Amino acid sequence: MRTLDQWFTEYAVSHQNPKNKAIHYICVPAIFFSIVGLLMSIPSGLITNTLKLNAPLIENWAFIVLLFVLIFYIRLSIAMAVKIAVFSALCLIANYYIGQVFPLWIFSIGVFAIAWIGQFYGHNIEGKKPSFLKDLQFLLIGPAWVVENLFSRKQ
C-alpha cells in the first residue's frame, strides 16, 4: 500500500499548472460537497427506522458512506483522516441546511456538473489526463491533496 506522500507525489505530476491547481482547490471540494448532498438526498427511512435517533445529520446515506471513506484515510494518515472528518462534518451540516430551503438533489447535481466541467477544463490547461483515469483511488486522494496544499504549513 502506498503512503500518503507517495499518493501526493503521483497526484502532483498532473497538477503543476497554477491555473489547474487553483481550479482544483475550488472544484475538488465542490465535488466532494455535492456527492455528500446527493447521498443525503437518497431516502433514508431504513436508517432512520433502524437507529431511531432523530438525528438527521447521521441518519442518512452520506454519513454511512463517509464512515467507510474515513477508513480509507485512517489507513493513510490519522491526521489527514481528522481533517477530512472535519470537512465531511461541515459538508453534512451545510447540505442539511441547503436541503431545508431548496431541493438538495437538484442543487447537488448542479454543483457536481459545474465542478466537473471546471476539473476537465483545468486538465485541458494542464495538458494531462486526470489522475483518477489511472486509478480510481485518486478520487479520494484529490480532497486530501487539496487539504494538504491549502492548509499545511509547508511552503
Side-chain angles (χ1 to χ4, degrees):
M1 185 172 152
R2 288 181 253 190
T3 66
L4 189 58
D5 285 336
Q6 289 170 324
W7 280 110
F8 285 164
T9 299
E10 190 171 346
Y11 191 82
V13 169
S14 60
H15 301 87
Q16 297 294 311
N17 183 290
K19 287 181 184 176
N20 185 34
K21 287 170 92 170
I23 289 169
H24 275 64
Y25 294 156
I26 295 167
C27 292
V28 168
I31 290 167
F32 190 99
F33 180 81
S34 68
I35 291 171
V36 171
L38 287 169
L39 289 168
M40 286 181 80
S41 299
I42 299 170
S44 56
L46 174 67
I47 299 168
T48 304
N49 293 334
T50 302
L51 298 178
K52 296 181 183 185
L53 298 174
N54 194 28
L57 288 177
I58 63 172
E59 291 179 321
N60 63 72
W61 291 108
F63 184 83
I64 302 297
V65 170
L66 287 168
L67 289 176
F68 288 101
V69 166
L70 286 175
I71 292 169
F72 173 84
Y73 289 113
I74 289 168
R75 290 178 43 191
L76 292 173
S77 162
I78 298 292
M80 183 56 67
V82 169
K83 293 172 189 175
I84 295 294
V86 169
F87 179 62
S88 296
L90 293 172
C91 288
L92 286 165
I93 293 165
N95 273 297
Y96 173 77
Y97 284 109
I98 289 169
Q100 299 302 303
V101 295
F102 196 78
L104 184 56
W105 68 274
I106 294 173
F107 179 83
S108 298
I109 287 173
V111 170
F112 185 84
I114 291 167
W116 272 111
I117 290 168
Q119 289 285 89
F120 285 110
Y121 175 70
H123 279 286
N124 186 50
I125 292 169
E126 184 83 42
K128 295 190 175 150
K129 293 179 184 177
S131 300
F132 76 88
L133 294 175
K134 180 180 176 185
D135 187 336
L136 288 177
Q137 292 179 85
F138 279 112
L139 291 171
L140 291 175
I141 296 302
W145 181 82
V146 169
V147 166
E148 185 68 16
N149 281 280
L150 287 180
F151 301 108
S152 73
R153 296 179 191 259
K154 300 174 192 172
Q155 296 298 329

Short mmCIF file of all heavy atoms in Angstrom, two decimals, residues 6-42:
data_model
loop_
_atom_site.label_atom_id
_atom_site.label_comp_id
_atom_site.label_asym_id
_atom_site.label_seq_id
_atom_site.Cartn_x
_atom_site.Cartn_y
_atom_site.Cartn_z
N GLN A 6 3.42 9.28 -1.05
CA GLN A 6 3.56 8.67 -2.38
C GLN A 6 2.36 8.99 -3.26
O GLN A 6 2.52 9.29 -4.44
CB GLN A 6 3.75 7.16 -2.25
CG GLN A 6 5.09 6.76 -1.69
CD GLN A 6 5.16 5.28 -1.34
OE1 GLN A 6 4.18 4.67 -0.89
NE2 GLN A 6 6.33 4.69 -1.54
N TRP A 7 1.17 8.94 -2.69
CA TRP A 7 -0.03 9.31 -3.43
C TRP A 7 0.06 10.77 -3.89
O TRP A 7 -0.23 11.09 -5.04
CB TRP A 7 -1.29 9.12 -2.58
CG TRP A 7 -1.79 7.73 -2.47
CD1 TRP A 7 -1.77 6.93 -1.36
CD2 TRP A 7 -2.45 6.95 -3.48
NE1 TRP A 7 -2.35 5.72 -1.62
CE2 TRP A 7 -2.79 5.71 -2.91
CE3 TRP A 7 -2.78 7.20 -4.81
CZ2 TRP A 7 -3.44 4.71 -3.63
CZ3 TRP A 7 -3.44 6.21 -5.53
CH2 TRP A 7 -3.76 4.99 -4.94
N PHE A 8 0.44 11.66 -2.95
CA PHE A 8 0.54 13.07 -3.27
C PHE A 8 1.56 13.33 -4.37
O PHE A 8 1.34 14.16 -5.25
CB PHE A 8 0.90 13.89 -2.03
CG PHE A 8 -0.22 14.07 -1.05
CD1 PHE A 8 0.05 14.50 0.23
CD2 PHE A 8 -1.54 13.82 -1.39
CE1 PHE A 8 -0.97 14.69 1.15
CE2 PHE A 8 -2.57 14.00 -0.48
CZ PHE A 8 -2.28 14.44 0.80
N THR A 9 2.70 12.66 -4.31
CA THR A 9 3.75 12.84 -5.32
C THR A 9 3.22 12.45 -6.70
O THR A 9 3.42 13.18 -7.68
CB THR A 9 4.99 11.99 -4.96
OG1 THR A 9 5.49 12.45 -3.70
CG2 THR A 9 6.07 12.12 -6.02
N GLU A 10 2.54 11.34 -6.76
CA GLU A 10 2.00 10.89 -8.05
C GLU A 10 0.87 11.80 -8.53
O GLU A 10 0.77 12.13 -9.70
CB GLU A 10 1.50 9.45 -7.94
CG GLU A 10 1.15 8.84 -9.29
CD GLU A 10 0.86 7.36 -9.22
OE1 GLU A 10 1.17 6.71 -8.19
OE2 GLU A 10 0.31 6.85 -10.21
N TYR A 11 0.02 12.25 -7.62
CA TYR A 11 -1.09 13.14 -7.96
C TYR A 11 -0.56 14.48 -8.47
O TYR A 11 -1.10 15.05 -9.42
CB TYR A 11 -1.98 13.34 -6.73
CG TYR A 11 -3.29 14.04 -7.00
CD1 TYR A 11 -4.38 13.33 -7.48
CD2 TYR A 11 -3.45 15.40 -6.75
CE1 TYR A 11 -5.60 13.96 -7.71
CE2 TYR A 11 -4.65 16.03 -6.98
CZ TYR A 11 -5.73 15.30 -7.45
OH TYR A 11 -6.94 15.93 -7.68
N ALA A 12 0.50 14.96 -7.85
CA ALA A 12 1.06 16.27 -8.20
C ALA A 12 1.61 16.32 -9.63
O ALA A 12 1.69 17.40 -10.21
CB ALA A 12 2.14 16.65 -7.20
N VAL A 13 1.97 15.17 -10.19
CA VAL A 13 2.52 15.14 -11.55
C VAL A 13 1.57 15.77 -12.55
O VAL A 13 2.00 16.50 -13.45
CB VAL A 13 2.87 13.67 -11.96
CG1 VAL A 13 3.19 13.57 -13.44
CG2 VAL A 13 4.02 13.16 -11.11
N SER A 14 0.27 15.53 -12.39
CA SER A 14 -0.70 16.10 -13.33
C SER A 14 -1.40 17.33 -12.78
O SER A 14 -2.47 17.72 -13.24
CB SER A 14 -1.74 15.04 -13.74
OG SER A 14 -2.44 14.58 -12.61
N HIS A 15 -0.76 17.96 -11.80
CA HIS A 15 -1.32 19.17 -11.18
C HIS A 15 -0.19 20.17 -10.90
O HIS A 15 0.04 20.56 -9.76
CB HIS A 15 -2.07 18.81 -9.90
CG HIS A 15 -3.18 17.85 -10.11
ND1 HIS A 15 -3.01 16.50 -10.10
CD2 HIS A 15 -4.49 18.07 -10.40
CE1 HIS A 15 -4.17 15.91 -10.35
NE2 HIS A 15 -5.08 16.84 -10.55
N GLN A 16 0.50 20.59 -11.95
CA GLN A 16 1.61 21.52 -11.84
C GLN A 16 1.24 22.94 -12.23
O GLN A 16 1.76 23.90 -11.68
CB GLN A 16 2.78 21.04 -12.72
CG GLN A 16 3.37 19.70 -12.30
CD GLN A 16 4.04 19.79 -10.94
OE1 GLN A 16 4.83 20.68 -10.67
NE2 GLN A 16 3.68 18.86 -10.07
N ASN A 17 0.35 23.08 -13.20
CA ASN A 17 -0.03 24.39 -13.71
C ASN A 17 -0.79 25.17 -12.63
O ASN A 17 -1.75 24.64 -12.06
CB ASN A 17 -0.90 24.21 -14.97
CG ASN A 17 -1.27 25.53 -15.59
OD1 ASN A 17 -2.05 26.28 -15.03
ND2 ASN A 17 -0.71 25.80 -16.76
N PRO A 18 -0.37 26.40 -12.35
CA PRO A 18 -1.03 27.18 -11.29
C PRO A 18 -2.54 27.36 -11.51
O PRO A 18 -3.31 27.35 -10.56
CB PRO A 18 -0.31 28.53 -11.33
CG PRO A 18 1.02 28.23 -11.94
CD PRO A 18 0.80 27.10 -12.90
N LYS A 19 -2.97 27.53 -12.77
CA LYS A 19 -4.40 27.68 -13.03
C LYS A 19 -5.15 26.37 -12.74
O LYS A 19 -6.23 26.39 -12.16
CB LYS A 19 -4.64 28.11 -14.48
CG LYS A 19 -4.26 29.54 -14.76
CD LYS A 19 -4.54 29.91 -16.20
CE LYS A 19 -4.06 31.33 -16.46
NZ LYS A 19 -4.21 31.71 -17.86
N ASN A 20 -4.56 25.26 -13.16
CA ASN A 20 -5.18 23.97 -12.88
C ASN A 20 -5.25 23.73 -11.38
O ASN A 20 -6.28 23.25 -10.86
CB ASN A 20 -4.41 22.84 -13.58
CG ASN A 20 -5.08 21.49 -13.43
OD1 ASN A 20 -6.30 21.39 -13.39
ND2 ASN A 20 -4.29 20.45 -13.34
N LYS A 21 -4.20 24.07 -10.66
CA LYS A 21 -4.21 23.90 -9.20
C LYS A 21 -5.30 24.76 -8.57
O LYS A 21 -6.05 24.29 -7.71
CB LYS A 21 -2.85 24.25 -8.62
CG LYS A 21 -1.77 23.22 -8.92
CD LYS A 21 -0.40 23.72 -8.55
CE LYS A 21 -0.02 23.33 -7.16
NZ LYS A 21 1.41 23.60 -6.87
N ALA A 22 -5.42 26.00 -9.01
CA ALA A 22 -6.44 26.90 -8.46
C ALA A 22 -7.84 26.35 -8.73
O ALA A 22 -8.71 26.39 -7.85
CB ALA A 22 -6.29 28.30 -9.05
N ILE A 23 -8.05 25.85 -9.93
CA ILE A 23 -9.34 25.25 -10.28
C ILE A 23 -9.62 24.06 -9.36
O ILE A 23 -10.73 23.90 -8.86
CB ILE A 23 -9.38 24.85 -11.77
CG1 ILE A 23 -9.43 26.11 -12.64
CG2 ILE A 23 -10.53 23.91 -12.07
CD1 ILE A 23 -9.20 25.87 -14.12
N HIS A 24 -8.61 23.24 -9.12
CA HIS A 24 -8.77 22.07 -8.26
C HIS A 24 -9.08 22.47 -6.82
O HIS A 24 -9.85 21.79 -6.14
CB HIS A 24 -7.53 21.17 -8.32
CG HIS A 24 -7.57 20.21 -9.45
ND1 HIS A 24 -7.55 20.62 -10.77
CD2 HIS A 24 -7.64 18.86 -9.49
CE1 HIS A 24 -7.60 19.56 -11.55
NE2 HIS A 24 -7.65 18.48 -10.80
N TYR A 25 -8.48 23.55 -6.35
CA TYR A 25 -8.73 23.99 -4.98
C TYR A 25 -10.19 24.37 -4.77
O TYR A 25 -10.70 24.32 -3.64
CB TYR A 25 -7.84 25.18 -4.62
CG TYR A 25 -6.36 24.86 -4.56
CD1 TYR A 25 -5.42 25.86 -4.73
CD2 TYR A 25 -5.90 23.56 -4.34
CE1 TYR A 25 -4.06 25.58 -4.68
CE2 TYR A 25 -4.54 23.28 -4.29
CZ TYR A 25 -3.63 24.30 -4.46
OH TYR A 25 -2.29 24.01 -4.41
N ILE A 26 -10.87 24.74 -5.84
CA ILE A 26 -12.30 25.07 -5.76
C ILE A 26 -13.16 23.86 -6.11
O ILE A 26 -14.10 23.51 -5.40
CB ILE A 26 -12.63 26.25 -6.72
CG1 ILE A 26 -11.90 27.51 -6.26
CG2 ILE A 26 -14.14 26.48 -6.80
CD1 ILE A 26 -11.89 28.63 -7.28
N CYS A 27 -12.83 23.21 -7.21
CA CYS A 27 -13.71 22.16 -7.76
C CYS A 27 -13.66 20.85 -6.99
O CYS A 27 -14.69 20.18 -6.87
CB CYS A 27 -13.40 21.94 -9.24
SG CYS A 27 -13.85 23.35 -10.27
N VAL A 28 -12.51 20.45 -6.48
CA VAL A 28 -12.44 19.17 -5.75
C VAL A 28 -13.31 19.23 -4.49
O VAL A 28 -14.13 18.33 -4.27
CB VAL A 28 -10.97 18.77 -5.43
CG1 VAL A 28 -10.92 17.63 -4.43
CG2 VAL A 28 -10.26 18.38 -6.72
N PRO A 29 -13.20 20.27 -3.65
CA PRO A 29 -14.12 20.33 -2.50
C PRO A 29 -15.59 20.44 -2.93
O PRO A 29 -16.47 19.88 -2.27
CB PRO A 29 -13.67 21.58 -1.75
CG PRO A 29 -12.26 21.81 -2.18
CD PRO A 29 -12.18 21.33 -3.59
N ALA A 30 -15.84 21.15 -4.03
CA ALA A 30 -17.23 21.27 -4.52
C ALA A 30 -17.79 19.92 -4.94
O ALA A 30 -18.96 19.61 -4.67
CB ALA A 30 -17.29 22.27 -5.68
N ILE A 31 -16.97 19.10 -5.58
CA ILE A 31 -17.42 17.76 -5.98
C ILE A 31 -17.69 16.92 -4.74
O ILE A 31 -18.72 16.25 -4.65
CB ILE A 31 -16.40 17.10 -6.92
CG1 ILE A 31 -16.39 17.81 -8.27
CG2 ILE A 31 -16.69 15.61 -7.09
CD1 ILE A 31 -15.22 17.45 -9.17
N PHE A 32 -16.78 16.94 -3.80
CA PHE A 32 -16.95 16.19 -2.54
C PHE A 32 -18.25 16.63 -1.87
O PHE A 32 -19.09 15.81 -1.48
CB PHE A 32 -15.75 16.44 -1.63
CG PHE A 32 -15.68 15.58 -0.42
CD1 PHE A 32 -14.86 14.46 -0.41
CD2 PHE A 32 -16.39 15.87 0.74
CE1 PHE A 32 -14.76 13.65 0.73
CE2 PHE A 32 -16.31 15.08 1.87
CZ PHE A 32 -15.49 13.96 1.87
N PHE A 33 -18.44 17.95 -1.76
CA PHE A 33 -19.62 18.53 -1.14
C PHE A 33 -20.89 18.08 -1.86
O PHE A 33 -21.88 17.69 -1.23
CB PHE A 33 -19.50 20.06 -1.17
CG PHE A 33 -20.66 20.78 -0.57
CD1 PHE A 33 -20.76 20.93 0.80
CD2 PHE A 33 -21.66 21.31 -1.38
CE1 PHE A 33 -21.83 21.60 1.36
CE2 PHE A 33 -22.74 21.98 -0.81
CZ PHE A 33 -22.82 22.13 0.56
N SER A 34 -20.86 18.10 -3.19
CA SER A 34 -22.06 17.73 -3.96
C SER A 34 -22.36 16.24 -3.84
O SER A 34 -23.53 15.85 -3.81
CB SER A 34 -21.90 18.13 -5.43
OG SER A 34 -20.91 17.35 -6.08
N ILE A 35 -21.34 15.42 -3.74
CA ILE A 35 -21.58 13.98 -3.55
C ILE A 35 -22.22 13.72 -2.19
O ILE A 35 -23.14 12.91 -2.07
CB ILE A 35 -20.28 13.17 -3.74
CG1 ILE A 35 -19.86 13.22 -5.22
CG2 ILE A 35 -20.45 11.73 -3.28
CD1 ILE A 35 -18.48 12.66 -5.51
N VAL A 36 -21.76 14.44 -1.18
CA VAL A 36 -22.40 14.32 0.14
C VAL A 36 -23.88 14.72 0.01
O VAL A 36 -24.76 14.03 0.53
CB VAL A 36 -21.67 15.18 1.20
CG1 VAL A 36 -22.46 15.24 2.50
CG2 VAL A 36 -20.27 14.64 1.46
N GLY A 37 -24.15 15.80 -0.70
CA GLY A 37 -25.54 16.23 -0.89
C GLY A 37 -26.37 15.21 -1.65
O GLY A 37 -27.53 14.95 -1.29
N LEU A 38 -25.79 14.63 -2.68
CA LEU A 38 -26.52 13.61 -3.44
C LEU A 38 -26.82 12.39 -2.57
O LEU A 38 -27.93 11.84 -2.61
CB LEU A 38 -25.74 13.20 -4.69
CG LEU A 38 -25.71 14.24 -5.81
CD1 LEU A 38 -24.69 13.87 -6.87
CD2 LEU A 38 -27.10 14.40 -6.42
N LEU A 39 -25.84 11.97 -1.77
CA LEU A 39 -26.06 10.82 -0.88
C LEU A 39 -27.09 11.14 0.20
O LEU A 39 -27.90 10.28 0.56
CB LEU A 39 -24.73 10.39 -0.24
CG LEU A 39 -23.74 9.71 -1.19
CD1 LEU A 39 -22.37 9.59 -0.53
CD2 LEU A 39 -24.25 8.36 -1.64
N MET A 40 -27.09 12.38 0.67
CA MET A 40 -28.09 12.78 1.66
C MET A 40 -29.49 12.83 1.05
O MET A 40 -30.48 12.75 1.77
CB MET A 40 -27.74 14.15 2.27
CG MET A 40 -26.59 14.10 3.24
SD MET A 40 -26.23 15.71 3.96
CE MET A 40 -27.49 15.81 5.24
N SER A 41 -29.57 12.96 -0.26
CA SER A 41 -30.86 13.03 -0.96
C SER A 41 -31.53 11.67 -1.13
O SER A 41 -32.71 11.60 -1.44
CB SER A 41 -30.66 13.67 -2.34
OG SER A 41 -30.16 14.98 -2.22
N ILE A 42 -30.77 10.61 -0.94
CA ILE A 42 -31.34 9.26 -1.05
C ILE A 42 -32.25 9.02 0.15
O ILE A 42 -31.82 9.23 1.29
CB ILE A 42 -30.22 8.20 -1.12
CG1 ILE A 42 -29.33 8.41 -2.34
CG2 ILE A 42 -30.82 6.78 -1.12
CD1 ILE A 42 -28.07 7.55 -2.34
#
